[in-house]
Amino acid sequence: MSFKFSSNYSSNFLPVIILISTILISACAQSHSGSQLPSANELKTFPPVILWAWERQENLEFLDSNKYGVAFLAQTLTLQNDEVAARPRFQALKVNTRTTLVAVTRIESSKITGKSASLGDAQKDEIVRLIVKTSLMKNISAIQIDFDASVSEREFYRRLLADVREKLPSEMPLSITALASFCLGDRWFQDLPVDEAIPMIFRMGADNQKIKGFLANGNDFTEPLCRQSYGIAIDEPISIKFKTSRRIYLFSNRAWTTGDIEKIASLSSE
């Protein structure tokens, strides 16, 4: 996820605010009581909006934990030859103790590095070990993997996901990010051992207008795994017909502020 962010985003952000405020209003009647963290074995109990916190300092202690969770970059794994180079998160992340936390592992291979990876069993086993290790971090409610697997890497990714699922606690949800095109009839997603695949409806390159137009006309993703959530960026205009029952994952290319959340809250209260 390497994106260009415009500092002047007020007009672009408005449609996103309207969408999120609608989701938050819909969720009010069924919000958490506030006495405990959401049950980790059911994604449906998670907050309706999840903020992605990438590699930068973030202070999100101000978030209402009934409405917002945080999916933070826990580590980046770079594959080259037979090696797995692990880079842990270096930037501080501050959240209140009640916040639902999702530990995200970013995997980078030849598509990003331009260098080949063996994709053998030893490399897979090391990736699995490192991903499962993030589930032991404090207050983790789910695991997420961000890997833009190429066609030649799909079978490797499928085996990796199967092993991660097997080694995680049975009650720990496992989610993945997904190119939006994968959610529109790409059969390799069928039967993946994950609880959700988050369609990334931003920075879609050549597919951008085609996919947004498809969704704006009232169509939906054909892959069931992609029908639980949306991944969107706060700086990119969007006017598709969202299902307000689905969770929103929000990406920003700069640190989140109280102002971002206040914009949503002020519109929600109108």
Side-chain angles (χ1 to χ4, degrees), residues 208-256:
N208 187 63
Q209 293 304 317
K210 178 182 177 181
I211 292 176
K212 285 185 176 178
F214 176 84
L215 297 173
N217 287 330
N219 300 301
D220 201 357
F221 295 111
T222 55
E223 171 51 53
L225 284 173
C226 299
R227 296 182 192 155
Q228 300 181 55
S229 55
Y230 301 104
I232 58 180
I234 65 172
D235 66 312
E236 186 168 312
I238 195 161
S239 59
I240 69 176
K241 297 179 181 179
F242 288 90
K243 309 289 185 183
T244 57
S245 61
R246 297 182 189 178
R247 184 170 299 103
I248 295 291
Y249 286 83
L250 273 180
F251 185 84
S252 171
N253 221 23
R254 52 129 176 96
W256 292 99

mmCIF file of all heavy atoms in Angstrom, residues 208-256:
data_model
loop_
_atom_site.group_PDB
_atom_site.id
_atom_site.type_symbol
_atom_site.label_atom_id
_atom_site.label_comp_id
_atom_site.label_asym_id
_atom_site.label_seq_id
_atom_site.Cartn_x
_atom_site.Cartn_y
_atom_site.Cartn_z
ATOM 1 N N ASN A 208 -10.117 1.252 -12.478
ATOM 2 C CA ASN A 208 -10.811 2.161 -11.563
ATOM 3 C C ASN A 208 -12.233 2.499 -12.022
ATOM 4 O O ASN A 208 -13.213 2.250 -11.312
ATOM 5 C CB ASN A 208 -10.000 3.442 -11.387
ATOM 6 C CG ASN A 208 -10.580 4.352 -10.321
ATOM 7 O OD1 ASN A 208 -10.636 3.996 -9.152
ATOM 8 N ND2 ASN A 208 -11.017 5.535 -10.726
ATOM 9 N N GLN A 209 -12.366 3.096 -13.202
ATOM 10 C CA GLN A 209 -13.677 3.533 -13.665
ATOM 11 C C GLN A 209 -14.601 2.344 -13.958
ATOM 12 O O GLN A 209 -15.802 2.404 -13.685
ATOM 13 C CB GLN A 209 -13.526 4.410 -14.911
ATOM 14 C CG GLN A 209 -12.838 5.736 -14.645
ATOM 15 C CD GLN A 209 -13.542 6.540 -13.561
ATOM 16 O OE1 GLN A 209 -14.765 6.634 -13.516
ATOM 17 N NE2 GLN A 209 -12.748 7.124 -12.664
ATOM 18 N N LYS A 210 -14.038 1.288 -14.485
ATOM 19 C CA LYS A 210 -14.841 0.107 -14.810
ATOM 20 C C LYS A 210 -15.484 -0.479 -13.562
ATOM 21 O O LYS A 210 -16.699 -0.751 -13.533
ATOM 22 C CB LYS A 210 -13.965 -0.932 -15.502
ATOM 23 C CG LYS A 210 -14.682 -2.227 -15.846
ATOM 24 C CD LYS A 210 -13.732 -3.220 -16.488
ATOM 25 C CE LYS A 210 -14.419 -4.541 -16.770
ATOM 26 N NZ LYS A 210 -13.473 -5.532 -17.382
ATOM 27 N N ILE A 211 -14.691 -0.673 -12.513
ATOM 28 C CA ILE A 211 -15.209 -1.299 -11.298
ATOM 29 C C ILE A 211 -16.143 -0.355 -10.556
ATOM 30 O O ILE A 211 -17.226 -0.753 -10.090
ATOM 31 C CB ILE A 211 -14.052 -1.759 -10.388
ATOM 32 C CG1 ILE A 211 -13.300 -2.911 -11.068
ATOM 33 C CG2 ILE A 211 -14.572 -2.192 -9.017
ATOM 34 C CD1 ILE A 211 -12.076 -3.387 -10.327
ATOM 35 N N LYS A 212 -15.772 0.920 -10.448
ATOM 36 C CA LYS A 212 -16.650 1.869 -9.760
ATOM 37 C C LYS A 212 -17.968 2.036 -10.506
ATOM 38 O O LYS A 212 -19.033 2.169 -9.891
ATOM 39 C CB LYS A 212 -15.943 3.214 -9.593
ATOM 40 C CG LYS A 212 -14.881 3.204 -8.498
ATOM 41 C CD LYS A 212 -14.288 4.579 -8.288
ATOM 42 C CE LYS A 212 -13.298 4.578 -7.141
ATOM 43 N NZ LYS A 212 -12.658 5.889 -6.929
ATOM 44 N N GLY A 213 -17.914 2.032 -11.828
ATOM 45 C CA GLY A 213 -19.136 2.118 -12.610
ATOM 46 C C GLY A 213 -20.017 0.899 -12.407
ATOM 47 O O GLY A 213 -21.247 1.012 -12.279
ATOM 48 N N PHE A 214 -19.404 -0.272 -12.360
ATOM 49 C CA PHE A 214 -20.127 -1.526 -12.122
ATOM 50 C C PHE A 214 -20.860 -1.478 -10.782
ATOM 51 O O PHE A 214 -22.046 -1.818 -10.690
ATOM 52 C CB PHE A 214 -19.134 -2.689 -12.160
ATOM 53 C CG PHE A 214 -19.718 -4.030 -11.836
ATOM 54 C CD1 PHE A 214 -20.343 -4.793 -12.817
ATOM 55 C CD2 PHE A 214 -19.627 -4.554 -10.555
ATOM 56 C CE1 PHE A 214 -20.875 -6.041 -12.524
ATOM 57 C CE2 PHE A 214 -20.152 -5.797 -10.247
ATOM 58 C CZ PHE A 214 -20.788 -6.538 -11.233
ATOM 59 N N LEU A 215 -20.173 -1.018 -9.743
ATOM 60 C CA LEU A 215 -20.769 -0.964 -8.414
ATOM 61 C C LEU A 215 -21.794 0.168 -8.302
ATOM 62 O O LEU A 215 -22.809 0.043 -7.615
ATOM 63 C CB LEU A 215 -19.677 -0.796 -7.354
ATOM 64 C CG LEU A 215 -18.681 -1.959 -7.251
ATOM 65 C CD1 LEU A 215 -17.542 -1.605 -6.301
ATOM 66 C CD2 LEU A 215 -19.375 -3.237 -6.788
ATOM 67 N N ALA A 216 -21.544 1.288 -8.978
ATOM 68 C CA ALA A 216 -22.460 2.429 -8.932
ATOM 69 C C ALA A 216 -23.810 2.085 -9.547
ATOM 70 O O ALA A 216 -24.833 2.680 -9.182
ATOM 71 C CB ALA A 216 -21.845 3.620 -9.650
ATOM 72 N N ASN A 217 -23.821 1.125 -10.455
ATOM 73 C CA ASN A 217 -25.073 0.712 -11.093
ATOM 74 C C ASN A 217 -25.873 -0.271 -10.247
ATOM 75 O O ASN A 217 -26.863 -0.835 -10.718
ATOM 76 C CB ASN A 217 -24.773 0.089 -12.459
ATOM 77 C CG ASN A 217 -24.361 1.124 -13.488
ATOM 78 O OD1 ASN A 217 -24.785 2.275 -13.423
ATOM 79 N ND2 ASN A 217 -23.529 0.719 -14.442
ATOM 80 N N GLY A 218 -25.447 -0.468 -9.005
ATOM 81 C CA GLY A 218 -26.181 -1.337 -8.097
ATOM 82 C C GLY A 218 -25.729 -2.776 -8.097
ATOM 83 O O GLY A 218 -26.320 -3.619 -7.414
ATOM 84 N N ASN A 219 -24.682 -3.082 -8.863
ATOM 85 C CA ASN A 219 -24.146 -4.438 -8.874
ATOM 86 C C ASN A 219 -23.310 -4.689 -7.621
ATOM 87 O O ASN A 219 -22.922 -3.754 -6.925
ATOM 88 C CB ASN A 219 -23.289 -4.650 -10.123
ATOM 89 C CG ASN A 219 -24.081 -4.456 -11.398
ATOM 90 O OD1 ASN A 219 -25.064 -5.143 -11.624
ATOM 91 N ND2 ASN A 219 -23.657 -3.501 -12.224
ATOM 92 N N ASP A 220 -23.039 -5.954 -7.367
ATOM 93 C CA ASP A 220 -22.282 -6.309 -6.167
ATOM 94 C C ASP A 220 -21.149 -7.250 -6.535
ATOM 95 O O ASP A 220 -21.113 -7.828 -7.628
ATOM 96 C CB ASP A 220 -23.207 -6.980 -5.145
ATOM 97 C CG ASP A 220 -22.671 -6.931 -3.718
ATOM 98 O OD1 ASP A 220 -21.543 -6.416 -3.524
ATOM 99 O OD2 ASP A 220 -23.371 -7.392 -2.804
ATOM 100 N N PHE A 221 -20.208 -7.396 -5.613
ATOM 101 C CA PHE A 221 -19.124 -8.344 -5.803
ATOM 102 C C PHE A 221 -19.696 -9.756 -5.876
ATOM 103 O O PHE A 221 -20.564 -10.130 -5.096
ATOM 104 C CB PHE A 221 -18.120 -8.235 -4.657
ATOM 105 C CG PHE A 221 -17.419 -6.913 -4.602
ATOM 106 C CD1 PHE A 221 -17.664 -6.017 -3.574
ATOM 107 C CD2 PHE A 221 -16.526 -6.536 -5.593
ATOM 108 C CE1 PHE A 221 -17.022 -4.791 -3.521
ATOM 109 C CE2 PHE A 221 -15.886 -5.310 -5.561
ATOM 110 C CZ PHE A 221 -16.132 -4.441 -4.520
ATOM 111 N N THR A 222 -19.195 -10.548 -6.793
ATOM 112 C CA THR A 222 -19.714 -11.901 -6.966
ATOM 113 C C THR A 222 -19.119 -12.891 -5.975
ATOM 114 O O THR A 222 -19.712 -13.938 -5.722
ATOM 115 C CB THR A 222 -19.437 -12.395 -8.400
ATOM 116 O OG1 THR A 222 -18.029 -12.287 -8.670
ATOM 117 C CG2 THR A 222 -20.202 -11.555 -9.412
ATOM 118 N N GLU A 223 -17.952 -12.572 -5.414
ATOM 119 C CA GLU A 223 -17.302 -13.457 -4.456
ATOM 120 C C GLU A 223 -17.879 -13.210 -3.057
ATOM 121 O O GLU A 223 -17.774 -12.107 -2.524
ATOM 122 C CB GLU A 223 -15.795 -13.219 -4.447
ATOM 123 C CG GLU A 223 -15.049 -13.928 -3.330
ATOM 124 C CD GLU A 223 -15.365 -15.418 -3.249
ATOM 125 O OE1 GLU A 223 -15.230 -16.106 -4.274
ATOM 126 O OE2 GLU A 223 -15.767 -15.868 -2.159
ATOM 127 N N PRO A 224 -18.502 -14.225 -2.431
ATOM 128 C CA PRO A 224 -19.107 -14.046 -1.108
ATOM 129 C C PRO A 224 -18.149 -13.529 -0.042
ATOM 130 O O PRO A 224 -18.555 -12.754 0.835
ATOM 131 C CB PRO A 224 -19.609 -15.456 -0.758
ATOM 132 C CG PRO A 224 -19.856 -16.102 -2.088
ATOM 133 C CD PRO A 224 -18.782 -15.565 -2.990
ATOM 134 N N LEU A 225 -16.874 -13.929 -0.110
ATOM 135 C CA LEU A 225 -15.912 -13.459 0.887
ATOM 136 C C LEU A 225 -15.754 -11.942 0.860
ATOM 137 O O LEU A 225 -15.342 -11.333 1.851
ATOM 138 C CB LEU A 225 -14.545 -14.109 0.657
ATOM 139 C CG LEU A 225 -14.372 -15.565 1.085
ATOM 140 C CD1 LEU A 225 -13.009 -16.077 0.629
ATOM 141 C CD2 LEU A 225 -14.524 -15.711 2.592
ATOM 142 N N CYS A 226 -16.070 -11.325 -0.283
ATOM 143 C CA CYS A 226 -15.901 -9.879 -0.462
ATOM 144 C C CYS A 226 -17.163 -9.094 -0.120
ATOM 145 O O CYS A 226 -17.206 -7.872 -0.338
ATOM 146 C CB CYS A 226 -15.495 -9.574 -1.900
ATOM 147 S SG CYS A 226 -13.936 -10.329 -2.414
ATOM 148 N N ARG A 227 -18.176 -9.759 0.412
ATOM 149 C CA ARG A 227 -19.447 -9.092 0.686
ATOM 150 C C ARG A 227 -19.659 -8.782 2.157
ATOM 151 O O ARG A 227 -20.786 -8.679 2.626
ATOM 152 C CB ARG A 227 -20.605 -9.950 0.183
ATOM 153 C CG ARG A 227 -20.625 -10.144 -1.326
ATOM 154 C CD ARG A 227 -21.840 -10.952 -1.711
ATOM 155 N NE ARG A 227 -21.755 -11.414 -3.097
ATOM 156 C CZ ARG A 227 -22.394 -12.502 -3.544
ATOM 157 N NH1 ARG A 227 -23.113 -13.228 -2.698
ATOM 158 N NH2 ARG A 227 -22.287 -12.852 -4.813
ATOM 159 N N GLN A 228 -18.565 -8.645 2.884
ATOM 160 C CA GLN A 228 -18.673 -8.310 4.304
ATOM 161 C C GLN A 228 -18.125 -6.928 4.627
ATOM 162 O O GLN A 228 -18.419 -6.372 5.690
ATOM 163 C CB GLN A 228 -17.926 -9.350 5.145
ATOM 164 C CG GLN A 228 -18.454 -10.753 4.996
ATOM 165 C CD GLN A 228 -17.689 -11.725 5.860
ATOM 166 O OE1 GLN A 228 -17.576 -11.551 7.070
ATOM 167 N NE2 GLN A 228 -17.128 -12.757 5.254
ATOM 168 N N SER A 229 -17.325 -6.370 3.733
ATOM 169 C CA SER A 229 -16.644 -5.117 4.058
ATOM 170 C C SER A 229 -16.226 -4.399 2.781
ATOM 171 O O SER A 229 -16.271 -4.961 1.683
ATOM 172 C CB SER A 229 -15.418 -5.391 4.936
ATOM 173 O OG SER A 229 -14.545 -6.331 4.299
ATOM 174 N N TYR A 230 -15.808 -3.127 2.955
ATOM 175 C CA TYR A 230 -15.246 -2.322 1.875
ATOM 176 C C TYR A 230 -13.944 -1.696 2.366
ATOM 177 O O TYR A 230 -13.849 -1.289 3.529
ATOM 178 C CB TYR A 230 -16.176 -1.182 1.473
ATOM 179 C CG TYR A 230 -17.548 -1.578 0.994
ATOM 180 C CD1 TYR A 230 -18.661 -1.436 1.813
ATOM 181 C CD2 TYR A 230 -17.745 -2.055 -0.297
ATOM 182 C CE1 TYR A 230 -19.937 -1.764 1.367
ATOM 183 C CE2 TYR A 230 -19.017 -2.389 -0.759
ATOM 184 C CZ TYR A 230 -20.111 -2.246 0.086
ATOM 185 O OH TYR A 230 -21.365 -2.577 -0.363
ATOM 186 N N GLY A 231 -12.975 -1.584 1.480
ATOM 187 C CA GLY A 231 -11.753 -0.840 1.776
ATOM 188 C C GLY A 231 -11.712 0.405 0.909
ATOM 189 O O GLY A 231 -11.729 0.303 -0.320
ATOM 190 N N ILE A 232 -11.706 1.591 1.530
ATOM 191 C CA ILE A 232 -11.708 2.837 0.775
ATOM 192 C C ILE A 232 -10.686 3.802 1.361
ATOM 193 O O ILE A 232 -10.253 3.650 2.506
ATOM 194 C CB ILE A 232 -13.101 3.497 0.744
ATOM 195 C CG1 ILE A 232 -13.606 3.769 2.165
ATOM 196 C CG2 ILE A 232 -14.098 2.629 -0.012
ATOM 197 C CD1 ILE A 232 -14.968 4.419 2.205
ATOM 198 N N ALA A 233 -10.313 4.810 0.581
ATOM 199 C CA ALA A 233 -9.368 5.837 1.015
ATOM 200 C C ALA A 233 -10.112 7.151 1.202
ATOM 201 O O ALA A 233 -11.006 7.474 0.418
ATOM 202 C CB ALA A 233 -8.247 6.002 -0.007
ATOM 203 N N ILE A 234 -9.727 7.928 2.211
ATOM 204 C CA ILE A 234 -10.487 9.129 2.534
ATOM 205 C C ILE A 234 -10.280 10.250 1.531
ATOM 206 O O ILE A 234 -11.056 11.212 1.510
ATOM 207 C CB ILE A 234 -10.160 9.645 3.951
ATOM 208 C CG1 ILE A 234 -8.701 10.096 4.050
ATOM 209 C CG2 ILE A 234 -10.476 8.598 5.001
ATOM 210 C CD1 ILE A 234 -8.364 10.799 5.346
ATOM 211 N N ASP A 235 -9.270 10.154 0.690
ATOM 212 C CA ASP A 235 -8.989 11.251 -0.243
ATOM 213 C C ASP A 235 -9.478 10.981 -1.657
ATOM 214 O O ASP A 235 -9.261 11.781 -2.553
ATOM 215 C CB ASP A 235 -7.487 11.535 -0.269
ATOM 216 C CG ASP A 235 -6.695 10.363 -0.843
ATOM 217 O OD1 ASP A 235 -6.945 9.226 -0.403
ATOM 218 O OD2 ASP A 235 -5.847 10.585 -1.719
ATOM 219 N N GLU A 236 -10.126 9.840 -1.881
ATOM 220 C CA GLU A 236 -10.526 9.492 -3.234
ATOM 221 C C GLU A 236 -12.039 9.559 -3.382
ATOM 222 O O GLU A 236 -12.770 8.887 -2.644
ATOM 223 C CB GLU A 236 -10.034 8.087 -3.589
ATOM 224 C CG GLU A 236 -10.284 7.719 -5.044
ATOM 225 C CD GLU A 236 -9.544 6.457 -5.453
ATOM 226 O OE1 GLU A 236 -8.332 6.360 -5.164
ATOM 227 O OE2 GLU A 236 -10.175 5.568 -6.058
ATOM 228 N N PRO A 237 -12.543 10.355 -4.326
ATOM 229 C CA PRO A 237 -13.996 10.464 -4.522
ATOM 230 C C PRO A 237 -14.620 9.103 -4.786
ATOM 231 O O PRO A 237 -14.049 8.270 -5.492
ATOM 232 C CB PRO A 237 -14.122 11.360 -5.752
ATOM 233 C CG PRO A 237 -12.828 12.102 -5.830
ATOM 234 C CD PRO A 237 -11.790 11.170 -5.297
ATOM 235 N N ILE A 238 -15.801 8.894 -4.209
ATOM 236 C CA ILE A 238 -16.466 7.616 -4.403
ATOM 237 C C ILE A 238 -17.967 7.832 -4.302
ATOM 238 O O ILE A 238 -18.442 8.544 -3.416
ATOM 239 C CB ILE A 238 -15.960 6.585 -3.363
ATOM 240 C CG1 ILE A 238 -16.358 5.180 -3.781
ATOM 241 C CG2 ILE A 238 -16.417 6.913 -1.958
ATOM 242 C CD1 ILE A 238 -15.541 4.104 -3.084
ATOM 243 N N SER A 239 -18.706 7.257 -5.218
ATOM 244 C CA SER A 239 -20.148 7.485 -5.234
ATOM 245 C C SER A 239 -20.908 6.211 -5.560
ATOM 246 O O SER A 239 -21.983 6.239 -6.123
ATOM 247 C CB SER A 239 -20.503 8.569 -6.265
ATOM 248 O OG SER A 239 -20.072 8.181 -7.563
ATOM 249 N N ILE A 240 -20.333 5.071 -5.215
ATOM 250 C CA ILE A 240 -20.992 3.805 -5.498
ATOM 251 C C ILE A 240 -22.057 3.520 -4.453
ATOM 252 O O ILE A 240 -22.127 4.172 -3.419
ATOM 253 C CB ILE A 240 -19.970 2.652 -5.557
ATOM 254 C CG1 ILE A 240 -19.391 2.364 -4.176
ATOM 255 C CG2 ILE A 240 -18.870 2.946 -6.545
ATOM 256 C CD1 ILE A 240 -18.446 1.184 -4.164
ATOM 257 N N LYS A 241 -22.901 2.554 -4.739
ATOM 258 C CA LYS A 241 -23.996 2.218 -3.841
ATOM 259 C C LYS A 241 -23.516 1.188 -2.824
ATOM 260 O O LYS A 241 -23.439 -0.009 -3.112
ATOM 261 C CB LYS A 241 -25.180 1.688 -4.641
ATOM 262 C CG LYS A 241 -25.770 2.721 -5.601
ATOM 263 C CD LYS A 241 -26.934 2.158 -6.408
ATOM 264 C CE LYS A 241 -27.479 3.208 -7.359
ATOM 265 N NZ LYS A 241 -28.603 2.688 -8.180
ATOM 266 N N PHE A 242 -23.201 1.657 -1.629
ATOM 267 C CA PHE A 242 -22.698 0.786 -0.582
ATOM 268 C C PHE A 242 -23.834 0.098 0.159
ATOM 269 O O PHE A 242 -24.932 0.617 0.286
ATOM 270 C CB PHE A 242 -21.878 1.582 0.432
ATOM 271 C CG PHE A 242 -20.545 2.045 -0.068
ATOM 272 C CD1 PHE A 242 -20.416 3.274 -0.686
ATOM 273 C CD2 PHE A 242 -19.415 1.270 0.083
ATOM 274 C CE1 PHE A 242 -19.195 3.716 -1.154
ATOM 275 C CE2 PHE A 242 -18.186 1.701 -0.366
ATOM 276 C CZ PHE A 242 -18.079 2.922 -0.986
ATOM 277 N N LYS A 243 -23.535 -1.081 0.671
ATOM 278 C CA LYS A 243 -24.424 -1.766 1.599
ATOM 279 C C LYS A 243 -24.045 -1.303 3.001
ATOM 280 O O LYS A 243 -22.927 -1.544 3.461
ATOM 281 C CB LYS A 243 -24.266 -3.283 1.491
ATOM 282 C CG LYS A 243 -24.349 -3.841 0.081
ATOM 283 C CD LYS A 243 -25.734 -3.781 -0.484
ATOM 284 C CE LYS A 243 -25.789 -4.466 -1.852
ATOM 285 N NZ LYS A 243 -27.121 -4.366 -2.483
ATOM 286 N N THR A 244 -24.965 -0.623 3.683
ATOM 287 C CA THR A 244 -24.613 -0.032 4.975
ATOM 288 C C THR A 244 -24.446 -1.070 6.077
ATOM 289 O O THR A 244 -23.991 -0.732 7.171
ATOM 290 C CB THR A 244 -25.676 0.990 5.407
ATOM 291 O OG1 THR A 244 -26.967 0.354 5.458
ATOM 292 C CG2 THR A 244 -25.731 2.147 4.420
ATOM 293 N N SER A 245 -24.795 -2.318 5.801
ATOM 294 C CA SER A 245 -24.590 -3.370 6.799
ATOM 295 C C SER A 245 -23.150 -3.858 6.837
ATOM 296 O O SER A 245 -22.773 -4.605 7.749
ATOM 297 C CB SER A 245 -25.517 -4.551 6.500
ATOM 298 O OG SER A 245 -25.235 -5.097 5.217
ATOM 299 N N ARG A 246 -22.324 -3.422 5.867
ATOM 300 C CA ARG A 246 -20.958 -3.934 5.785
ATOM 301 C C ARG A 246 -19.974 -3.013 6.506
ATOM 302 O O ARG A 246 -20.186 -1.813 6.621
ATOM 303 C CB ARG A 246 -20.548 -4.091 4.311
ATOM 304 C CG ARG A 246 -21.412 -5.116 3.601
ATOM 305 C CD ARG A 246 -21.012 -5.327 2.168
ATOM 306 N NE ARG A 246 -21.998 -6.162 1.490
ATOM 307 C CZ ARG A 246 -21.962 -6.495 0.221
ATOM 308 N NH1 ARG A 246 -20.963 -6.069 -0.549
ATOM 309 N NH2 ARG A 246 -22.909 -7.240 -0.316
ATOM 310 N N ARG A 247 -18.902 -3.617 6.964
ATOM 311 C CA ARG A 247 -17.868 -2.869 7.669
ATOM 312 C C ARG A 247 -17.036 -2.055 6.676
ATOM 313 O O ARG A 247 -16.809 -2.465 5.545
ATOM 314 C CB ARG A 247 -16.980 -3.843 8.437
ATOM 315 C CG ARG A 247 -15.908 -3.207 9.317
ATOM 316 C CD ARG A 247 -15.244 -4.242 10.208
ATOM 317 N NE ARG A 247 -16.237 -4.853 11.083
ATOM 318 C CZ ARG A 247 -16.759 -6.059 10.893
ATOM 319 N NH1 ARG A 247 -16.375 -6.794 9.873
ATOM 320 N NH2 ARG A 247 -17.668 -6.542 11.708
ATOM 321 N N ILE A 248 -16.565 -0.893 7.141
ATOM 322 C CA ILE A 248 -15.713 -0.042 6.325
ATOM 323 C C ILE A 248 -14.299 -0.041 6.891
ATOM 324 O O ILE A 248 -14.099 0.197 8.087
ATOM 325 C CB ILE A 248 -16.238 1.405 6.292
ATOM 326 C CG1 ILE A 248 -17.596 1.472 5.591
ATOM 327 C CG2 ILE A 248 -15.238 2.323 5.592
ATOM 328 C CD1 ILE A 248 -17.540 1.194 4.108
ATOM 329 N N TYR A 249 -13.316 -0.326 6.041
ATOM 330 C CA TYR A 249 -11.907 -0.143 6.392
ATOM 331 C C TYR A 249 -11.447 1.124 5.689
ATOM 332 O O TYR A 249 -11.584 1.254 4.476
ATOM 333 C CB TYR A 249 -11.067 -1.334 5.925
ATOM 334 C CG TYR A 249 -11.242 -2.586 6.753
ATOM 335 C CD1 TYR A 249 -12.304 -3.461 6.519
ATOM 336 C CD2 TYR A 249 -10.347 -2.906 7.770
ATOM 337 C CE1 TYR A 249 -12.466 -4.610 7.275
ATOM 338 C CE2 TYR A 249 -10.501 -4.054 8.534
ATOM 339 C CZ TYR A 249 -11.560 -4.902 8.280
ATOM 340 O OH TYR A 249 -11.722 -6.041 9.032
ATOM 341 N N LEU A 250 -10.883 2.062 6.460
ATOM 342 C CA LEU A 250 -10.500 3.368 5.927
ATOM 343 C C LEU A 250 -8.992 3.520 5.898
ATOM 344 O O LEU A 250 -8.313 3.280 6.905
ATOM 345 C CB LEU A 250 -11.084 4.481 6.797
ATOM 346 C CG LEU A 250 -12.498 4.964 6.497
ATOM 347 C CD1 LEU A 250 -12.867 6.062 7.479
ATOM 348 C CD2 LEU A 250 -12.605 5.480 5.074
ATOM 349 N N PHE A 251 -8.479 3.967 4.739
ATOM 350 C CA PHE A 251 -7.049 4.212 4.609
ATOM 351 C C PHE A 251 -6.777 5.703 4.464
ATOM 352 O O PHE A 251 -7.472 6.410 3.738
ATOM 353 C CB PHE A 251 -6.483 3.480 3.393
ATOM 354 C CG PHE A 251 -4.992 3.605 3.270
ATOM 355 C CD1 PHE A 251 -4.150 2.756 3.964
ATOM 356 C CD2 PHE A 251 -4.433 4.592 2.470
ATOM 357 C CE1 PHE A 251 -2.779 2.878 3.865
ATOM 358 C CE2 PHE A 251 -3.059 4.720 2.365
ATOM 359 C CZ PHE A 251 -2.230 3.870 3.070
ATOM 360 N N SER A 252 -5.744 6.178 5.157
ATOM 361 C CA SER A 252 -5.254 7.546 5.009
ATOM 362 C C SER A 252 -3.743 7.469 4.856
ATOM 363 O O SER A 252 -3.099 6.634 5.485
ATOM 364 C CB SER A 252 -5.612 8.398 6.226
ATOM 365 O OG SER A 252 -4.960 9.650 6.171
ATOM 366 N N ASN A 253 -3.184 8.345 4.035
ATOM 367 C CA ASN A 253 -1.746 8.324 3.827
ATOM 368 C C ASN A 253 -1.009 9.279 4.750
ATOM 369 O O ASN A 253 0.153 9.579 4.540
ATOM 370 C CB ASN A 253 -1.411 8.656 2.367
ATOM 371 C CG ASN A 253 -0.290 7.786 1.836
ATOM 372 O OD1 ASN A 253 -0.047 6.711 2.356
ATOM 373 N ND2 ASN A 253 0.388 8.241 0.813
ATOM 374 N N ARG A 254 -1.700 9.745 5.766
ATOM 375 C CA ARG A 254 -1.059 10.523 6.815
ATOM 376 C C ARG A 254 -1.732 10.159 8.128
ATOM 377 O O ARG A 254 -2.751 9.463 8.149
ATOM 378 C CB ARG A 254 -1.192 12.018 6.538
ATOM 379 C CG ARG A 254 -2.650 12.435 6.266
ATOM 380 C CD ARG A 254 -3.034 13.588 7.133
ATOM 381 N NE ARG A 254 -4.363 14.057 6.839
ATOM 382 C CZ ARG A 254 -5.433 13.682 7.525
ATOM 383 N NH1 ARG A 254 -5.329 12.790 8.488
ATOM 384 N NH2 ARG A 254 -6.616 14.171 7.222
ATOM 385 N N ALA A 255 -1.162 10.591 9.228
ATOM 386 C CA ALA A 255 -1.671 10.206 10.533
ATOM 387 C C ALA A 255 -3.112 10.682 10.722
ATOM 388 O O ALA A 255 -3.488 11.772 10.301
ATOM 389 C CB ALA A 255 -0.778 10.782 11.641
ATOM 390 N N TRP A 256 -3.914 9.841 11.357
ATOM 391 C CA TRP A 256 -5.287 10.197 11.663
ATOM 392 C C TRP A 256 -5.336 11.300 12.723
ATOM 393 O O TRP A 256 -4.476 11.356 13.602
ATOM 394 C CB TRP A 256 -6.046 8.978 12.171
ATOM 395 C CG TRP A 256 -6.256 7.927 11.136
ATOM 396 C CD1 TRP A 256 -5.529 6.777 10.960
ATOM 397 C CD2 TRP A 256 -7.253 7.921 10.111
ATOM 398 N NE1 TRP A 256 -6.004 6.066 9.891
ATOM 399 C CE2 TRP A 256 -7.067 6.740 9.343
ATOM 400 C CE3 TRP A 256 -8.276 8.800 9.761
ATOM 401 C CZ2 TRP A 256 -7.871 6.419 8.263
ATOM 402 C CZ3 TRP A 256 -9.093 8.471 8.684
ATOM 403 C CH2 TRP A 256 -8.885 7.296 7.941
#
